Amino acid sequence: MPTSPFEANGSAECRRRASHSIKPTVLWCRSLTEHSLVRTGRRNAKLDRNEGVPLMRKTHPEPGDPAAGNGILSRRIFFEGALVVGATGAGLSRGSAEQLTVQPWMKVPGPGFPGYGQPSPFESKVVKIFPPPPNPAGVGASRTPLHMLEGMITPSGLHFERSHSGIPEIDPDQHRLLIHGLVKRPLVFTVEALSRYPMQSRIAFIECGGNSQALNAPQAQPLNVAAIHGLLGCAEWTGVRLSTLLDEAGIEPEARWVIAEGADAAAMSRSIPLTKAMDDALLCLYQNGERVRPSNGYPVRLLLPGFEGNMNVKWLRRLKLTAGPAMTKDETSKYTILLKDEKAWQFVFPIEVKSIITRPSPGLALREPGFYEISGLAWSGNGSIRQVDVSADGGRSWAPAALQGPILPKAPVRFRAAWQWNGGPAVLQSRATDDTGMVQPTRAQFADERGLRGVYHYNAIASWRIDEMGEASNVYA
């Protein structure tokens, strides 16, 4: 076994230098013939006064250094833009300009502009999915294909949907919003009247409380990212602060809760703490710059940043201020968290810290050994994401991933990690920490605290196994 980093490098010159130059801070030495390759790291270089030859001493990892087991590399690759994969490393072929040909679409003018833009027909596979068995039209859920998207924003047409009794077709001119109960002045708003109030925009995620419940199953199911984690979306939401309207109505001193009710056939309704309503709640008219789509609450929906999805009541028609919660069917028979001791948690509102790897993942096979980017999303209903760690060896070793800004409270963060896949088996995991200090639990920790009989708020670490063929699958690890 080598006794020093210099010996591990295998260079005779390095071994000679090691006899008198090694210091504890030196991680390894590159040979003199490699000097030109490391010249870009001059800020880490110190001059050997005895020989006048720069001796490269690394006081911290460089981008190509391993940062964790099984090929995870330093995140500094992303911070410093230091990575050049190269044609060979990326699995590309080398070529020349002469290889380009004039394609048919370059020989005739294309069609004109449509009134409302659509994705390229070559992207037709990027669609929402529907879990079997099929439900009546509009009932149940559609899921966002997170593994086919990038960044943090979900296109409006791909944002997941959940409804309990279909999608109502609401005429905005006929729709009304009532604020009543423990207020001094009950108020009724038309949609047009709401649009006259000062508006605000914020980027926020909405996640169904039942997202990822497939990981409660005793055996790992052969599902992909969308099927397991696709009840998640993020948009720029624009609307009127709820506090503005409640202040106008005048809140009675005994009011503590707000009962929100939708205009769908199920009259979806939830009890919301008044403190949340007065904090950051929005009545949204717009989603990603366009009017909220019918399946996501047109003409007006409630946004409670960080709270579980069903509380962001769609097709909002009524807000009643009360002294206590209403105990509606949607917060007694549904949306409670059953524990392993047969008790249940009620009124658990914020989504806990969570992360998922979206690439590589099932359906996105690796073609050959080499460099790959591990990418995914992390979020917390309690605040901002502070750190995401990644592992390629099933959690035996971890390294911090690079976080792509902006890092916003109650919004997903895109994380990235560099990975040199050696062609062997690997188990990829991500683990998020938020700015309150909460750390995403392992599946074993989650099961020990809550059991696996509940349906809602599953936030344990998820795992993808990569086999020797580069195929990814859902596993428990």
Side-chain angles (χ1 to χ4, degrees):
M1 291 289 291
T3 56
S4 81
F6 284 13
E7 293 178 333
N9 181 265
S11 161
E13 177 64 18
C14 285
R15 286 195 296 273
R16 185 178 66 78
R17 292 173 181 275
S19 64
H20 60 82
S21 300
I22 188 169
K23 293 183 178 180
T25 54
V26 176
L27 298 183
W28 71 56
C29 171
R30 299 172 191 259
S31 69
L32 292 178
T33 56
E34 292 176 303
H35 180 215
S36 61
L37 298 178
V38 297
R39 186 179 291 276
T40 55
R42 290 183 67 84
R43 65 185 180 189
N44 295 328
K46 295 182 179 178
L47 192 66
D48 186 330
R49 298 298 181 187
N50 294 329
E51 301 182 27
V53 176
L55 177 61
M56 309 310 296
R57 293 171 179 168
K58 298 173 61 181
T59 57
H60 52 75
E62 291 189 347
D65 293 346
N70 213 8
I72 299 293
L73 306 179
S74 170
R75 60 177 171 169
R76 293 182 60 207
I77 283 176
F78 300 100
F79 293 150
E80 300 180 356
L83 177 67
V84 178
V85 177
T88 302
L92 306 177
S93 61
R94 296 184 182 277
S96 63
E98 288 73 19
Q99 291 179 306
L100 294 177
T101 58
V102 177
Q103 299 288 351
W105 53 80
M106 299 179 66
K107 298 179 181 179
V108 295
F113 304 116
Y116 202 100
Q118 298 295 316
S120 163
F122 296 100
E123 299 299 319
S124 60
K125 63 181 181 299
V126 184
V127 294
K128 292 173 288 188
I129 69 167
F130 303 87
N135 294 307
V139 178
S142 67
R143 295 164 187 264
T144 301
L146 296 169
H147 58 302
M148 306 296 284
L149 303 177
E150 255 297 343
M152 64 190 294
I153 298 294
T154 307
S156 297
L158 294 175
H159 197 287
F160 87 92
E161 301 141 327
R162 174 77 174 99
S163 70
H164 297 78
S165 191
I167 304 168
E169 186 174 309
I170 297 177
D171 180 348
D173 291 335
Q174 302 298 317
H175 187 69
R176 298 291 183 271
L177 171 65
L178 168 65
I179 295 180
H180 67 140
L182 294 176
V183 295
K184 294 180 172 62
R185 294 174 296 279
L187 299 173
V188 177
F189 299 89
T190 64
V191 176
E192 192 277 335
L194 288 175
S195 67
R196 297 185 191 179
Y197 282 82
M199 294 195 194
Q200 290 189 355
S201 295
R202 72 170 296 163
I203 295 174
F205 76 82
I206 295 179
E207 181 183 16
C208 175
N211 198 25
S212 309
Q213 64 177 273
L215 300 184
N216 279 348
Q219 303 297 325
Q221 303 297 302
L223 302 173
N224 67 7
V225 171
I228 300 174
H229 307 292
L231 296 175
L232 170 75
C234 176
E236 182 195 46
W237 303 97
T238 303
V240 183
R241 289 181 66 93
L242 177 54
S243 61
T244 299
L245 304 184
L246 294 181
D247 283 340
E248 185 170 337
I251 302 171
E252 296 287 2
E254 61 269 36
R256 296 291 183 273
W257 293 79
V258 179
I259 316 304
E261 180 183 88
D264 56 327
M268 174 73 192
S269 52
R270 288 301 309 264
S271 302
I272 301 159
L274 181 60
T275 52
K276 179 67 173 178
M278 296 300 290
D279 180 18
D280 57 1
L282 283 183
L283 303 184
C284 298
L285 303 175
Y286 293 87
Q287 175 184 1
N288 293 333
E290 64 179 5
R291 293 303 299 268
V292 174
R293 297 200 171 189
S295 59
N296 268 301
Y298 180 87
V300 57
R301 77 169 300 166
L302 183 60
L303 175 70
L304 302 174
F307 276 25
E308 64 179 21
N310 66 86
M311 300 193 67
N312 298 259
V313 175
K314 299 190 287 189
W315 315 294
L316 189 66
R317 69 182 292 269
R318 191 159 69 103
L319 294 166
K320 182 177 182 180
L321 275 67
T322 62
M327 299 294 182
T328 70
K329 68 181 189 310
D330 300 303
E331 54 200 21
T332 52
S333 66
K334 289 181 175 293
Y335 302 115
T336 60
I337 299 176
L338 181 62
L339 304 176
K340 60 183 180 181
D341 61 0
E342 307 295 332
K343 295 181 180 179
W345 288 344
Q346 196 173 18
F347 301 123
V348 178
F349 300 138
I351 293 292
E352 294 90 340
V353 63
K354 188 172 179 180
S355 70
I356 55 171
I357 292 173
T358 56
R359 188 181 65 247
S361 65
L364 302 178
L366 308 180
R367 293 185 176 182
E368 59 187 359
F371 174 85
Y372 290 90
E373 179 188 270
I374 297 172
S375 179
L377 295 168
W379 63 99
S380 172
N382 289 309
S384 303
I385 293 297
R386 186 174 69 194
Q387 181 170 326
V388 178
D389 299 306
V390 293
S391 174
D393 54 16
R396 288 191 293 275
S397 63
W398 297 87
L403 303 183
Q404 175 180 299
I407 300 174
L408 304 174
K410 303 166 186 174
V413 173
R414 173 68 59 175
F415 66 85
R416 305 181 189 280
W419 183 38
Q420 188 71 28
W421 181 46
N422 62 11
V427 174
L428 304 182
Q429 296 180 328
S430 62
R431 179 182 63 194
T433 303
D434 68 20
D435 61 358
T436 70
M438 297 301 296
V439 181
Q440 190 176 2
T442 66
R443 188 171 185 275
Q445 291 169 334
F446 182 90
D448 183 61
E449 179 185 10
R450 301 187 189 180
L452 295 172
R453 297 179 59 192
V455 175
Y456 304 111
H457 286 240
Y458 185 96
N459 73 321
I461 292 171
S463 306
W464 303 130
R465 181 180 186 275
I466 308 296
D467 66 17
E468 293 84 349
M469 302 300 292
E471 298 287 343
S473 59
N474 174 39
V475 296
Y476 295 155

